[in-house]
């Protein structure tokens, strides 16, 4: 009876020659084989079985088990488990990086014109299509400044501006509101450069300033909106260093990233993407693309207010920055929108500054599995084959050239692959040099801890964990002074 069938499953009757059968005998067929042998054993003594179960039921059990195993195997094939993170440099797979100065059809890019007219647009389109994704913004979204409150703060050191922006499209106004908080320094003559970055936990957390509105915000883990309390004020102030930034003569602007779009799979129905005509195609933009879009819209508003003389910001000197997932966002925003004068990525890791092909710490497979809503559908194609990517993250850095870019890492933040973050800057250097800048200024290897290096491409690795610290801000401000003042 089933004996004829069983060896076929195990790959033996069909392939009596062992040397031929052996390589075909995967772990999965072995599993089937064990199960089937058990079934045979229980039936060997005829009908009914030893345990008194009629043969008919045994067959049913047998067929069901086979179907179950098959389904499990198919599910496994579609969603293979993510490999554990590698932290061993010697186990990094061999890879060849894509060449930023070679077009897809193999032409060498050896002039700034060729970079600007051919290679840059080509790379931008590839990142758009294969990773971050396009947003169907046809320019018909309007932004209304619904409220604007201005007040002197920090004993006259600065001015706090709070904006309530309403986003709508052709009269449709679902409640899409982005609250923007801006501090400008007083006692500084003329227009000042400004930092612009999104925050993780609400505007009220960037400083203990009691005048910051306690806006209702999205809680990403609970996937619902909530009303923050006064106790949460200033919770993330060390990450923002507001007064230090003002003391150094810079303005600083921020908004809660979930105001633009809540950070969970399915969050797009609650954010600005409600106003876009997205079709669900694999090349469409996802959450990071939307946050980056939001940064550009906030820039638009800053520009309008500066132009109207209502904000003393120098709109040609806006530095876009971000930490972690928001560092991935600032890099993409900076690549797309050349109005950003400097781009800063802090501990941005996989999908940010870290080279994907190193597969050190967080991998493309891991990030696409944990956060399927961050990148577009096409990016998932590379889960098991990062070498098939038509680019790597050094080319994202190169897209910012010739504008200054700063990459910051932390020793304990191995998940973000500090060395991979450094190497992105390092391998973007030829593009910066082609465009007539000093690039990474001749740096040949990863610097020691707390030793900032570079030229137009700046880099540091500091002691400590995944965070934004006062030390990081010192370096950002020094870098900005060097390039903007
Ligand atoms: C982690 C994620 C990282 C990084 C980080 C963050 O869970 O794996 O890619 O973005 O979150 O944003 O804090």
């Amino acid at each position: 009876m089933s004996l004829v069938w069983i060896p076929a499953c195990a790959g033996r009757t069909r392939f009596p020659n062992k040397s031929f059968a052996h390589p075909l005998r995967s772990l999965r067929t072995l599993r089937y084989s064990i199960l089937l042998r058990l079934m045979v054993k229980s039936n060997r003594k005829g009908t009914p079985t030893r345990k008194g179960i009629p043969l008919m039921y045994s067959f049913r059990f047998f067929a069901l088990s086979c179907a179950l195993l098959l389904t499990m195997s198919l599910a496994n094939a579609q969603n293979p488990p993510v490999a554990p993170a590698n932290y061993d440099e010697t186990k990094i797979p061999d890879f060849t990086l894509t060449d930023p100065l070679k077009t897809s059809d193999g032409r060498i890019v050896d002039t700034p014109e060729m970079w600007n007219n051919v290679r840059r647009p080509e790379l931008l389109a590839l990142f758009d299509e294969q990773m971050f994704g396009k947003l169907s913004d046809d320019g018909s979204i309007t932004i209304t400044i619904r409220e604007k409150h201005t007040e002197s703060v920090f004993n006259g050191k600065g001015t706090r501006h709070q904006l309530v922006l309403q986003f709508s499209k052709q009269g449709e106004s679902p409640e899409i509101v982005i609250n923007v908080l801006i501090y400008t320094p007083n006692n500084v003559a003329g227009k000042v450069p400004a930092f612009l970055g999104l925050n993780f936990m609400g505007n009220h957390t960037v400083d203990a300033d009691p005048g910051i509105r306690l806006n209702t915000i999205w809680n990403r883990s609970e996937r619902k909106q909530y009303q923050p309390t006064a106790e949460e004020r200033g919770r993330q102030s060390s990450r923002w260093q507001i007064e230090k930034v003002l003391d150094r003569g810079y303005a600083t602007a921020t908004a809660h990233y979930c105001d633009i779009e809540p950070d969970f799979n399915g969050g797009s129905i609650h954010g600005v993407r409600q106003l876009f005509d997205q079709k669900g195609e694999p090349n469409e933009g996802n959450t990071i693309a939307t946050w980056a879009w939001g940064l550009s819209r906030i820039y638009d508003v800053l520009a309008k207010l500066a132009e109207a003389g209502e904000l003393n910001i120098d709109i040609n000197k806006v530095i876009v920055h971000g930490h972690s997932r928001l560092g991935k966002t600032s890099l993409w925003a900076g690549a797309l929108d050349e109005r950003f004068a400097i781009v800063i990525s802090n501990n941005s890791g996989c999908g940010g500054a870290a080279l994907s092909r190193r597969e050190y710490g967080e991998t493309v497979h891991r990030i696409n599995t944990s956060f399927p809503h961050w990148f577009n559908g096409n990016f998932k194609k590379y889960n098991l084959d990062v070498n098939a990517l038509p680019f790597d993250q050094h080319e994202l850095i190169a897209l910012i050239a010739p504008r200054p870019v700063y990459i910051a890492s932390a020793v304990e933040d191995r998940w973000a692959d500090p060395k991979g973050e450094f190497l992105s800057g390092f391998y973007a250097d030829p593009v910066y040099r082609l465009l007539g800048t000093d690039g990474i200024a001749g740096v040949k290897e990863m610097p020691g801890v707390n030793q900032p290096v570079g030229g137009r491409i700046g880099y540091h690795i500091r002691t400590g964990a995944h965070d934004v610290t006062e030390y990081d801000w010192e370096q950002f401000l020094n870098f900005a002074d060097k390039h903007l003042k």
Side-chain angles (χ1 to χ4, degrees):
M1 36 148 227
S2 47
L3 264 178
V4 181
W5 203 74
I6 291 159
C9 229
R12 217 166 67 194
T13 305
R14 273 201 199 152
F15 308 116
N17 175 346
K18 260 193 172 176
S19 61
F20 180 55
H22 179 71
L24 296 169
R25 213 168 160 188
S26 69
L27 210 62
R28 206 168 292 148
T29 51
L30 203 70
R31 259 192 273 149
Y32 281 111
S33 141
I34 292 167
L35 180 87
L36 293 170
R37 272 159 205 281
L38 283 174
M39 293 296 305
V40 170
K41 214 174 160 198
S42 67
N43 280 305
R44 217 166 250 163
K45 291 195 176 162
T47 310
T49 61
R50 257 191 314 187
K51 288 183 182 162
I53 303 167
L55 184 62
M56 189 179 66
Y57 292 116
S58 287
F59 269 133
R60 244 181 230 174
F61 172 68
F62 169 71
L64 277 173
S65 306
C66 274
L68 186 72
L69 285 171
L70 197 68
T71 318
M72 278 163 56
S73 308
L74 284 174
N76 253 4
Q78 271 166 11
N79 293 311
V82 179
N86 172 45
Y87 293 112
D88 182 347
E89 282 289 329
T90 66
K91 293 199 177 123
I92 289 176
D94 286 339
F95 62 83
T96 309
L97 275 185
T98 43
D99 185 346
L101 293 180
K102 199 185 250 182
T103 62
S104 299
D105 58 6
R107 284 175 292 154
I108 303 295
V109 179
D110 51 8
T111 62
E113 292 68 37
M114 199 164 167
W115 168 261
N116 288 321
N117 302 331
V118 182
R119 183 59 172 155
R120 187 176 189 280
E122 177 181 81
L123 269 174
L124 207 50
L126 285 170
F127 274 101
D128 215 357
E129 190 70 21
Q130 302 297 321
M131 185 176 184
F132 295 103
K134 298 173 192 308
L135 292 176
S136 55
D137 172 18
D138 59 3
S140 61
I141 293 175
T142 51
I143 306 170
T144 313
I145 303 179
R146 222 162 70 176
E147 287 176 47
K148 180 169 177 290
H149 305 274
T150 301
E151 208 175 315
S152 180
V153 284
F154 308 132
N155 298 316
K157 185 189 283 185
T159 303
R160 180 204 325 109
H161 314 257
Q162 298 192 85
L163 312 176
V164 180
L165 307 180
Q166 165 81 52
F167 283 64
S168 51
K169 185 177 180 168
Q170 286 145 7
E172 277 173 47
S173 304
E175 190 61 9
I176 301 173
V177 162
I178 299 182
N179 294 281
V180 179
L181 170 69
I182 308 159
Y183 288 98
T184 49
N186 296 340
N187 314 319
V188 180
K191 297 196 170 210
V192 296
F195 285 88
L196 169 61
L198 300 175
N199 65 70
F200 277 91
M201 298 180 75
N203 292 350
H204 62 288
T205 63
V206 306
D207 195 273
D209 171 6
I212 304 176
R213 295 163 60 125
L214 290 174
N215 303 306
T216 307
I217 57 169
W218 278 93
N219 176 314
R220 66 170 183 265
S221 44
E222 289 178 20
R223 301 184 174 205
K224 58 181 192 205
Q225 285 185 295
Y226 83 107
Q227 178 57 51
T229 61
E231 288 79 73
E232 296 171 30
R233 290 190 180 284
R235 259 192 192 170
Q236 301 229 301
S237 58
S238 60
R239 286 190 174 188
W240 289 85
Q241 304 287 330
I242 303 282
E243 288 198 57
K244 179 187 279 289
V245 174
L246 293 178
D247 288 340
R248 296 275 297 254
Y250 289 82
T252 185
T254 185
H256 178 46
Y257 78 136
C258 293
D259 275 8
I260 301 170
E261 179 165 314
D263 186 8
F264 51 83
N265 202 6
S268 64
I269 56 165
H270 304 291
V272 292
R273 264 199 286 167
Q274 289 174 76
L275 303 174
F276 297 156
D277 185 22
Q278 300 285 101
K279 306 256 186 309
E281 303 291 336
N283 67 345
E284 281 180 0
N286 226 327
T287 319
I288 289 185
T290 310
W291 296 328
W293 180 91
L295 281 166
S296 286
R297 300 295 71 77
I298 296 172
Y299 179 99
D300 294 343
V301 172
L302 298 182
K304 273 257 170 306
L305 292 174
E307 198 189 336
E310 292 185 42
L311 214 50
N312 69 327
I313 282 178
D314 182 344
I315 208 63
N316 296 314
K317 293 183 177 172
V318 175
I319 304 148
V320 67
H321 66 103
H323 168 62
S324 207
R325 68 198 70 184
L326 297 175
K328 310 178 209 300
T329 305
S330 63
L331 288 173
W332 183 231
L336 281 176
D337 192 337
E338 294 178 88
R339 298 174 303 172
F340 289 118
I342 293 185
V343 182
I344 298 175
S345 138
N346 192 78
N347 304 179
S348 61
C350 180
L355 292 177
S356 303
R357 281 169 172 79
R358 277 173 50 85
E359 301 205 276
Y360 183 102
E362 187 172 33
T363 59
V364 168
H365 192 192
R366 176 76 271 161
I367 205 165
N368 278 335
T369 307
S370 308
F371 306 100
H373 59 294
W374 283 359
F375 301 99
N376 73 8
N378 281 338
F379 196 47
K380 278 86 184 168
K381 289 191 307 203
Y382 305 99
N383 281 354
L384 300 178
D385 189 7
V386 280
N387 289 300
L389 274 164
F391 48 73
D392 210 314
Q393 298 308 100
H394 60 308
E395 286 161 320
L396 178 60
I397 305 297
L399 283 172
I400 295 159
R403 290 163 296 150
V405 62
Y406 197 86
I407 302 168
S409 305
V411 174
E412 291 166 30
D413 188 21
R414 295 188 311 154
W415 183 242
D417 184 14
K419 185 162 180 197
E421 293 180 318
F422 166 75
L423 289 175
S424 272
F426 180 81
Y427 288 118
D429 172 78
V431 176
Y432 274 80
R433 279 189 290 111
L434 179 72
L435 300 182
T437 77
D438 63 349
I440 204 160
V443 171
K444 294 274 177 289
E445 55 190 46
M446 185 141 170
V449 176
N450 299 338
Q451 292 169 31
V453 291
R456 202 80 162 177
I457 303 170
Y459 176 83
H460 78 243
I461 175 162
R462 62 156 168 79
T463 46
H466 186 71
D467 199 359
V468 197
T469 66
E470 191 175 357
Y471 177 88
D472 295 319
W473 272 105
E474 291 280 354
Q475 312 322 313
F476 302 159
L477 288 159
N478 294 345
F479 189 74
D481 280 357
K482 183 162 124 188
H483 294 287
L484 297 180
K485 284 197 168 170

